[in-house]
Short mmCIF file of all heavy atoms in Angstrom, two decimals:
data_model
loop_
_atom_site.label_atom_id
_atom_site.label_comp_id
_atom_site.label_asym_id
_atom_site.label_seq_id
_atom_site.Cartn_x
_atom_site.Cartn_y
_atom_site.Cartn_z
N GLY A 164 -2.92 51.57 17.76
CA GLY A 164 -3.42 52.44 16.71
C GLY A 164 -2.43 53.53 16.33
O GLY A 164 -1.39 53.72 16.96
N PHE A 165 -2.77 54.26 15.27
CA PHE A 165 -1.98 55.40 14.80
C PHE A 165 -2.81 56.66 14.98
O PHE A 165 -3.88 56.80 14.36
CB PHE A 165 -1.61 55.24 13.32
CG PHE A 165 -0.56 54.20 13.04
CD1 PHE A 165 -0.93 52.88 12.84
CD2 PHE A 165 0.78 54.54 12.99
CE1 PHE A 165 0.03 51.92 12.57
CE2 PHE A 165 1.75 53.59 12.72
CZ PHE A 165 1.37 52.27 12.51
N ASP A 166 -2.33 57.59 15.80
CA ASP A 166 -3.02 58.87 15.93
C ASP A 166 -2.83 59.69 14.67
O ASP A 166 -1.76 59.67 14.04
CB ASP A 166 -2.46 59.64 17.12
CG ASP A 166 -2.87 59.03 18.44
OD1 ASP A 166 -3.93 58.38 18.49
OD2 ASP A 166 -2.11 59.17 19.42
N LEU A 167 -3.88 60.44 14.30
CA LEU A 167 -3.82 61.32 13.14
C LEU A 167 -3.65 62.76 13.59
O LEU A 167 -4.01 63.13 14.71
CB LEU A 167 -5.09 61.19 12.30
CG LEU A 167 -5.40 59.81 11.72
CD1 LEU A 167 -6.69 59.85 10.91
CD2 LEU A 167 -4.26 59.31 10.85
N ALA A 168 -3.11 63.58 12.71
CA ALA A 168 -2.96 65.02 12.97
C ALA A 168 -3.19 65.76 11.67
O ALA A 168 -2.97 65.23 10.58
CB ALA A 168 -1.57 65.33 13.53
N TRP A 169 -3.65 67.01 11.79
CA TRP A 169 -3.84 67.85 10.60
C TRP A 169 -2.53 68.53 10.24
O TRP A 169 -1.81 69.02 11.12
CB TRP A 169 -4.90 68.92 10.87
CG TRP A 169 -6.31 68.42 10.83
CD1 TRP A 169 -7.14 68.19 11.89
CD2 TRP A 169 -7.06 68.11 9.65
NE1 TRP A 169 -8.35 67.74 11.46
CE2 TRP A 169 -8.33 67.67 10.07
CE3 TRP A 169 -6.79 68.13 8.28
CZ2 TRP A 169 -9.33 67.29 9.19
CZ3 TRP A 169 -7.78 67.74 7.39
CH2 TRP A 169 -9.02 67.33 7.84
N TYR A 170 -2.24 68.55 8.93
CA TYR A 170 -0.99 69.14 8.47
C TYR A 170 -1.25 70.15 7.35
O TYR A 170 -2.13 69.96 6.51
CB TYR A 170 -0.04 68.07 7.95
CG TYR A 170 0.45 67.13 9.02
CD1 TYR A 170 -0.05 65.83 9.12
CD2 TYR A 170 1.41 67.54 9.95
CE1 TYR A 170 0.39 64.97 10.11
CE2 TYR A 170 1.86 66.69 10.94
CZ TYR A 170 1.34 65.40 11.02
OH TYR A 170 1.79 64.57 12.00
N VAL A 171 -0.43 71.21 7.36
CA VAL A 171 -0.46 72.23 6.32
C VAL A 171 0.99 72.56 5.98
O VAL A 171 1.89 72.35 6.81
CB VAL A 171 -1.22 73.49 6.80
CG1 VAL A 171 -0.50 74.18 7.95
CG2 VAL A 171 -1.45 74.46 5.65
N SER A 172 1.22 73.07 4.81
CA SER A 172 2.59 73.39 4.39
C SER A 172 3.16 74.53 5.22
O SER A 172 2.44 75.45 5.65
CB SER A 172 2.58 73.81 2.91
OG SER A 172 3.86 74.25 2.51
N SER A 173 4.46 74.47 5.44
CA SER A 173 5.13 75.58 6.12
C SER A 173 5.12 76.84 5.27
O SER A 173 5.35 77.94 5.78
CB SER A 173 6.58 75.19 6.45
OG SER A 173 6.60 74.10 7.34
N LYS A 174 4.83 76.70 3.98
CA LYS A 174 4.76 77.85 3.08
C LYS A 174 3.43 78.59 3.21
O LYS A 174 3.30 79.72 2.74
CB LYS A 174 4.93 77.39 1.63
CG LYS A 174 6.21 76.62 1.34
CD LYS A 174 6.19 76.05 -0.07
CE LYS A 174 7.39 75.16 -0.34
NZ LYS A 174 7.32 74.52 -1.69
N ALA A 175 2.43 77.93 3.81
CA ALA A 175 1.10 78.54 3.90
C ALA A 175 1.09 79.69 4.89
O ALA A 175 1.80 79.68 5.90
CB ALA A 175 0.08 77.49 4.32
N GLU A 176 0.28 80.70 4.59
CA GLU A 176 0.13 81.82 5.52
C GLU A 176 -0.56 81.35 6.79
O GLU A 176 -1.43 80.47 6.76
CB GLU A 176 -0.69 82.94 4.88
CG GLU A 176 -0.01 83.60 3.69
CD GLU A 176 -0.85 84.76 3.13
OE1 GLU A 176 -1.90 85.07 3.75
OE2 GLU A 176 -0.46 85.32 2.11
N HIS A 177 -0.16 81.91 7.91
CA HIS A 177 -0.76 81.56 9.18
C HIS A 177 -2.18 82.15 9.27
O HIS A 177 -2.42 83.28 8.83
CB HIS A 177 0.09 82.07 10.35
CG HIS A 177 1.33 81.25 10.57
ND1 HIS A 177 1.37 80.17 11.44
CD2 HIS A 177 2.56 81.36 10.03
CE1 HIS A 177 2.59 79.65 11.41
NE2 HIS A 177 3.33 80.35 10.58
N CYS A 178 -3.09 81.34 9.81
CA CYS A 178 -4.48 81.78 10.00
C CYS A 178 -4.77 81.90 11.49
O CYS A 178 -4.40 81.02 12.27
CB CYS A 178 -5.45 80.78 9.38
SG CYS A 178 -5.40 80.69 7.58
N ASP A 179 -5.42 83.01 11.86
CA ASP A 179 -5.84 83.13 13.26
C ASP A 179 -6.86 82.06 13.63
O ASP A 179 -6.91 81.58 14.76
CB ASP A 179 -6.44 84.53 13.51
CG ASP A 179 -5.39 85.63 13.38
OD1 ASP A 179 -4.20 85.33 13.62
OD2 ASP A 179 -5.77 86.76 13.05
N ASP A 180 -7.66 81.67 12.64
CA ASP A 180 -8.64 80.60 12.84
C ASP A 180 -8.19 79.38 12.02
O ASP A 180 -8.37 79.35 10.79
CB ASP A 180 -10.03 81.06 12.36
CG ASP A 180 -11.08 79.99 12.55
OD1 ASP A 180 -10.76 78.90 13.08
OD2 ASP A 180 -12.24 80.24 12.16
N PRO A 181 -7.57 78.36 12.69
CA PRO A 181 -7.04 77.20 11.94
C PRO A 181 -8.10 76.45 11.14
O PRO A 181 -7.76 75.78 10.17
CB PRO A 181 -6.46 76.31 13.05
CG PRO A 181 -6.20 77.24 14.19
CD PRO A 181 -7.29 78.27 14.13
N SER A 182 -9.38 76.56 11.53
CA SER A 182 -10.40 75.84 10.79
C SER A 182 -10.54 76.35 9.35
O SER A 182 -11.07 75.66 8.49
CB SER A 182 -11.75 75.96 11.51
OG SER A 182 -12.21 77.30 11.50
N LEU A 183 -10.04 77.57 9.08
CA LEU A 183 -10.10 78.11 7.72
C LEU A 183 -9.25 77.30 6.75
O LEU A 183 -9.49 77.32 5.54
CB LEU A 183 -9.67 79.59 7.72
CG LEU A 183 -10.59 80.56 8.48
CD1 LEU A 183 -10.01 81.97 8.45
CD2 LEU A 183 -11.99 80.54 7.88
N TYR A 184 -8.24 76.60 7.27
CA TYR A 184 -7.42 75.75 6.40
C TYR A 184 -8.27 74.66 5.73
O TYR A 184 -7.94 74.18 4.65
CB TYR A 184 -6.30 75.09 7.19
CG TYR A 184 -5.17 76.02 7.58
CD1 TYR A 184 -4.77 76.13 8.91
CD2 TYR A 184 -4.49 76.78 6.63
CE1 TYR A 184 -3.73 76.96 9.29
CE2 TYR A 184 -3.46 77.63 7.00
CZ TYR A 184 -3.08 77.71 8.33
OH TYR A 184 -2.05 78.56 8.69
N LEU A 185 -9.37 74.29 6.39
CA LEU A 185 -10.21 73.21 5.85
C LEU A 185 -11.04 73.67 4.66
O LEU A 185 -11.75 72.86 4.06
CB LEU A 185 -11.11 72.67 6.96
CG LEU A 185 -10.39 72.09 8.18
CD1 LEU A 185 -11.39 71.52 9.17
CD2 LEU A 185 -9.38 71.03 7.77
N ARG A 186 -10.97 74.95 4.32
CA ARG A 186 -11.62 75.42 3.10
C ARG A 186 -10.75 75.13 1.88
O ARG A 186 -11.20 75.31 0.74
CB ARG A 186 -11.87 76.93 3.21
CG ARG A 186 -12.83 77.33 4.34
CD ARG A 186 -14.22 76.83 4.05
NE ARG A 186 -15.16 77.19 5.11
CZ ARG A 186 -16.44 76.84 5.11
NH1 ARG A 186 -16.92 76.11 4.10
NH2 ARG A 186 -17.23 77.19 6.10
N ARG A 187 -9.52 74.69 2.12
CA ARG A 187 -8.62 74.36 1.03
C ARG A 187 -8.87 72.91 0.60
O ARG A 187 -9.57 72.15 1.28
CB ARG A 187 -7.17 74.54 1.50
CG ARG A 187 -6.89 75.93 2.09
CD ARG A 187 -5.44 76.09 2.42
NE ARG A 187 -4.61 76.05 1.22
CZ ARG A 187 -3.27 75.99 1.23
NH1 ARG A 187 -2.62 75.94 2.39
NH2 ARG A 187 -2.60 75.97 0.11
N PRO A 188 -8.31 72.47 -0.54
CA PRO A 188 -8.43 71.05 -0.90
C PRO A 188 -7.89 70.16 0.21
O PRO A 188 -6.85 70.46 0.81
CB PRO A 188 -7.59 70.94 -2.17
CG PRO A 188 -7.60 72.31 -2.76
CD PRO A 188 -7.61 73.25 -1.58
#
Side-chain angles (χ1 to χ4, degrees):
F165 287 87
D166 289 333
L167 300 180
W169 283 105
Y170 294 105
V171 65
S172 175
S173 297
K174 303 172 186 176
E176 294 183 4
H177 285 269
C178 292
D179 293 333
D180 180 2
S182 66
L183 295 177
Y184 287 126
L185 301 183
R186 297 293 180 182
R187 306 184 65 189

